[in-house]
Amino acid sequence: MLRTNTCGELNIQHAGQEITLSGWIQKSRDLGGMTFIDLRDRYGITQLVFNMESGASLCQQARKLGREFVIQVSGTVAERSNKNKNIPTGEIEIIVNTLKVLNSSITPPFTIEDKSDGGDELRMKYRYLDLRRNPVKNNMQLRHQMALETRNFLDSQGFLEIETPFLIKSTPEGARDFVVPSRMNEGQFYALPQSPQTFKQLLMVAGYDRYFQIVRCFRDEDLRADRQPEFTQIDCEMSFVTQEDILTTFEGLAKHLFKKVKNVEIEDFPWMPYSEAMKNYGSDKPDLRFKMKFVELNEIAQGKGFGVFDDAELVVGICADGCAGYSRKQLDQLTDFVRKPQIGAKGLVYVKYNEDGTIKSSVDKFYDQETLKDWAELFNAKPGDLMLVLSGDVDQTRKALCELRLEMGNRLELRDPNIFKPLWVVDFPLLEWDEDTKRFHAMHHPFTSPKIEDSELMESNPGAVRANAYDMVINGVEIGGGSIRIHDKTLQKRMFTLLGFSDEEAQNQFGFLMNAFEYGAPPHGGIALGFDRLTALFGGSDSIRDFIAFPKNNSGRDVMIDSPSVISEDQLDELRLKIKK
């Protein structure tokens, strides 16, 4: 070993000991007769002291060292006269008596500090340097701890970790696949898995009744803060279980992680039907850290001559506590916010319930004080509150009001990252209608079981069928989801028919699974939790990128290795592919 200790473990108890350290130079300070160097490794920082008493040549050598040089030093642990209480090693320093340069370094393109002067793209280009910074290093340590505790919990519950293939078959459902040409099978392609869905179901048929895997998955889709083309999920499946069994197990996993990783006790997860989530919050992943439930006003707001409301499918609003004092400028800002193209509302109606009990609105021309007080009663508003109302098509208006609710939560600082409000959203629709293709698509995937009591509606009213599906939501973030699966071949065939698959297409795509069901498939179900999202949530961030060692940028590129890239003509010929120019 090139060191006896790390740069993060020495303290006053080690005073007088002879030690050897190795690491990178964080910074150096030349004070004439003495030179101080902060030496850094993964574990922390230790101050080194070079003085003339140790030797003039050694002191001169230290002065020539630059930032990020890799060095090895030996010396004596001594108590510092000016202690640094901000670091664990701040009570001691090392009086160096030998120095060896293990490697030199050119000047880094940005400072290796907690608050770096490098922008996102620059730090991504030199990610191996960015990973040296404490914030990113802490994220990597958090990710490791999350994975370790996940394995510990699932192992304690009898789960086996089993690997599934990365080179699989492309399927038409779901997001777009990444495809890989096969050299040995001309004109044929593998796909990288969007999830190990069919393989974990086959493991249930095989009798491995509790499976899990912390697995890399791939989706060729547009990116944003919580998406990457390759991502990691905690993938799980169980046999001989009900929905409640699965939710209890993985609520237990979440509670275990919060306790072990953050030392936080979280409450039991409430269950909320999808229909209730959409009606009250306009989202299937509601943030329950604050109130502002939707209030529908159709019955008391329509028929008063205000065409914007009279012609709308839905009139709905929220009540912001204590915001009646908002200025005209603040209200205009909210109006501009809801009119953004990505929000999609045409305008905003406000109603101020003033402290003196009077009510002032932007629609006083159409509604008298008595009617507006009826509104306030419906909102459970009190003097000092502000009611914000949108109208229009049902789906679009709920979506816009959801965004406004979140915006108000941000403005009022109600979305505290240190408070955690989890829930299960259940009873999703089994299918969703696609106007472009004029057919139903599976809302989750084609192996999701319908609610038994709704299965008789599959042919007569497919849009009304509820799925035996569920999502874990924490603080407005969809952490993951799953379902009870179809294990009966006849029911699976009905599902494929609903999705527009011919018998031949179903056999070509999923024949291996259908055939496996002939050999005694047990009732089973599972869940997949987004490991990157869960880790980012624990780290208090909206972006998963800083919790992945080598992420892609928003264009799906790895700017560090310059990927994706072209391949040689020889490689293309070997794969019998041609690139159009």
Side-chain angles (χ1 to χ4, degrees):
M1 296 291 289
L2 298 182
R3 60 188 179 187
T4 59
N5 300 86
T6 69
C7 294
E9 67 177 299
L10 297 172
N11 55 50
I12 198 67
Q13 303 296 323
H14 298 89
Q17 291 186 16
E18 296 294 320
I19 56 89
T20 300
L21 300 178
S22 295
W24 288 263
I25 294 178
Q26 178 77 18
K27 65 174 72 170
S28 62
R29 302 175 297 283
D30 184 8
L31 302 180
M34 302 181 74
T35 297
F36 295 91
I37 286 178
D38 288 346
L39 189 67
R40 183 194 72 244
D41 64 11
R42 175 161 76 90
Y43 306 93
I45 289 177
T46 297
Q47 179 171 280
L48 311 179
V49 180
F50 299 82
N51 55 44
M52 297 303 288
E53 296 175 7
S54 303
S57 61
L58 187 63
C59 216
Q60 289 294 330
Q61 187 181 2
R63 290 172 184 169
K64 295 177 182 178
L65 301 176
R67 281 191 296 135
E68 301 307 312
F69 273 49
V70 187
I71 63 172
Q72 179 191 48
V73 296
S74 295
T76 306
V77 181
E79 184 176 1
R80 283 176 65 162
S81 57
N82 57 331
K83 295 179 174 57
N84 182 352
K85 296 181 180 180
N86 296 321
I87 58 174
T89 60
E91 291 185 302
I92 58 94
E93 59 193 9
I94 310 302
I95 309 301
V96 178
N97 53 47
T98 63
L99 165 67
K100 181 178 180 181
V101 177
L102 300 177
N103 219 327
S104 61
S105 172
I106 61 175
T107 302
F110 53 86
T111 56
I112 313 298
E113 302 280 356
D114 289 3
K115 294 184 178 180
S116 176
D117 57 0
D120 285 349
E121 282 297 303
L122 184 63
R123 289 189 293 108
M124 289 302 101
K125 184 175 181 180
Y126 298 93
R127 182 63 168 176
Y128 46 86
L129 297 179
D130 195 39
L131 285 163
R132 295 180 183 177
R133 298 192 309 113
N134 281 329
V136 186
K137 178 193 71 177
N138 293 341
N139 291 345
M140 295 301 106
Q141 291 175 334
L142 172 63
R143 187 183 180 97
H144 162 76
Q145 190 180 4
M146 296 280 287
L148 183 64
E149 291 298 341
T150 296
R151 287 188 166 96
N152 287 342
F153 177 83
L154 293 175
D155 177 66
S156 76
Q157 300 297 309
F159 284 79
L160 292 179
E161 184 167 14
I162 303 175
E163 295 175 326
T164 52
F166 274 4
L167 295 175
I168 66 168
K169 186 174 186 176
S170 183
T171 59
E173 291 293 313
R176 190 178 294 110
D177 287 328
F178 282 102
V179 294
V180 180
S182 170
R183 178 184 60 81
M184 293 182 290
N185 300 277
E186 183 177 354
Q188 296 183 319
F189 296 81
Y190 300 105
L192 300 179
Q194 296 182 33
S195 87
Q197 181 62 45
T198 54
F199 290 98
K200 65 180 180 179
Q201 291 191 251
L202 290 170
L203 285 169
M204 297 303 103
V205 176
Y208 294 87
D209 63 327
R210 292 198 167 200
Y211 142 93
F212 88 98
Q213 188 179 184
I214 301 179
V215 61
R216 207 70 161 165
C217 300
F218 308 84
R219 290 181 187 172
D220 187 5
E221 59 186 354
D222 295 335
L223 306 181
R224 53 180 189 242
D226 64 346
R227 283 184 182 171
Q228 284 275 298
E230 50 183 321
F231 57 96
T232 304
Q233 63 186 35
I234 305 168
D235 195 64
C236 309
E237 199 79 3
M238 304 170 73
S239 292
F240 306 112
V241 289
T242 65
Q243 173 179 291
E244 185 170 0
D245 295 325
I246 294 172
L247 301 197
T248 299
T249 300
F250 290 95
E251 182 173 326
L253 171 61
K255 289 181 175 180
H256 173 85
L257 291 173
F258 273 104
K259 180 61 179 174
K260 290 291 186 178
V261 177
K262 294 189 72 69
N263 196 28
V264 170
E265 301 273 1
I266 58 171
E267 62 194 34
D268 291 343
F269 290 26
W271 292 21
M272 182 182 295
Y274 170 87
S275 57
E276 181 182 326
M278 296 304 295
K279 181 176 182 179
N280 290 335
Y281 301 98
S283 171
D284 59 3
K285 47 182 185 294
D287 188 342
L288 300 186
R289 284 174 293 181
F290 61 105
K291 298 177 182 177
M292 293 193 208
K293 270 189 180 180
F294 290 9
V295 175
E296 296 185 5
L297 299 166
N298 289 50
E299 289 189 10
I300 63 173
Q302 291 182 320
K304 304 292 185 180
F306 183 43
V308 173
F309 283 0
D310 291 347
D311 298 336
E313 281 188 312
L314 179 67
V315 183
V316 63
I318 55 174
C319 182
D321 290 353
C323 292
Y326 263 33
S327 66
R328 182 69 193 191
K329 180 180 179 181
Q330 288 173 302
L331 293 168
D332 287 345
Q333 287 174 345
L334 292 178
T335 302
D336 291 341
F337 173 81
V338 299
R339 283 177 172 166
K340 288 180 179 179
Q342 61 268 38
I343 307 299
K346 295 179 180 178
L348 173 68
V349 169
Y350 69 83
V351 181
K352 291 183 175 185
Y353 196 166
N354 296 317
E355 295 284 0
D356 62 6
T358 62
I359 299 183
K360 173 67 178 173
S361 80
S362 55
V363 287
D364 283 344
K365 179 179 177 182
F366 301 96
Y367 301 96
D368 57 27
Q369 287 285 298
E370 185 177 343
T371 303
L372 293 176
K373 284 193 175 179
D374 290 340
W375 289 24
E377 186 176 344
L378 201 59
F379 276 102
N380 286 322
K382 60 186 183 302
D385 291 349
L386 174 68
M387 291 159 273
L388 301 169
V389 182
L390 300 179
S391 63
D393 296 341
V394 171
D395 291 343
Q396 179 58 40
T397 302
R398 282 181 177 158
K399 175 181 176 294
L401 189 60
C402 171
E403 296 297 332
L404 178 59
R405 176 180 180 270
L406 296 176
E407 175 68 11
M408 291 304 297
N410 289 333
R411 292 186 179 216
L412 298 174
E413 298 182 346
L414 300 174
R415 304 181 74 189
D416 186 341
N418 296 310
I419 294 175
F420 301 96
K421 290 291 184 180
L423 76 153
W424 290 109
V425 178
V426 298
D427 296 351
F428 283 83
L430 181 69
L431 307 165
E432 54 186 347
W433 180 257
D434 183 76
E435 277 297 331
D436 294 333
T437 59
K438 300 297 182 185
R439 69 179 182 91
F440 282 106
H441 290 261
M443 195 163 191
H444 284 76
H445 55 63
F447 314 109
T448 297
S449 175
K451 289 278 188 181
I452 298 301
E453 59 268 32
D454 291 355
S455 60
E456 62 185 26
L457 301 173
M458 288 178 68
E459 285 76 26
S460 61
N461 189 8
V465 179
R466 294 169 299 160
N468 208 340
Y470 34 82
D471 278 359
M472 179 189 289
V473 176
I474 305 176
N475 291 1
V477 177
E478 178 196 330
I479 297 300
S483 65
I484 297 297
R485 322 301 187 190
I486 298 171
H487 69 282
D488 174 74
K489 185 176 180 180
T490 302
L491 182 57
Q492 186 65 73
K493 183 177 179 180
R494 288 173 67 192
M495 182 67 168
F496 283 143
T497 300
L498 269 181
L499 296 174
F501 285 86
S502 66
D503 289 347
E504 183 180 4
E505 288 171 332
Q507 185 63 33
N508 286 339
Q509 293 293 337
F510 304 110
F512 62 93
L513 184 63
M514 302 284 280
N515 294 339
F517 283 178
E518 301 273 16
Y519 293 92
H524 60 283
I527 194 169
L529 305 178
F531 184 62
D532 309 300
R533 289 185 185 179
L534 188 59
T535 306
L537 177 78
F538 273 55
S541 174
D542 293 328
S543 173
I544 66 174
R545 195 164 68 175
D546 282 339
F547 296 84
I548 298 173
F550 298 103
K552 307 291 189 289
N553 68 10
N554 289 339
S555 300
R557 295 195 64 81
D558 185 327
V559 295
M560 182 182 68
I561 64 173
D562 193 22
S563 172
S565 61
V566 297
I567 60 175
S568 71
E569 290 291 337
D570 288 343
Q571 288 174 291
L572 288 171
D573 289 343
E574 198 170 39
L575 295 168
R576 292 172 284 277
L577 295 174
K578 290 189 179 294
I579 303 296
K580 289 184 178 180
K581 297 182 179 179

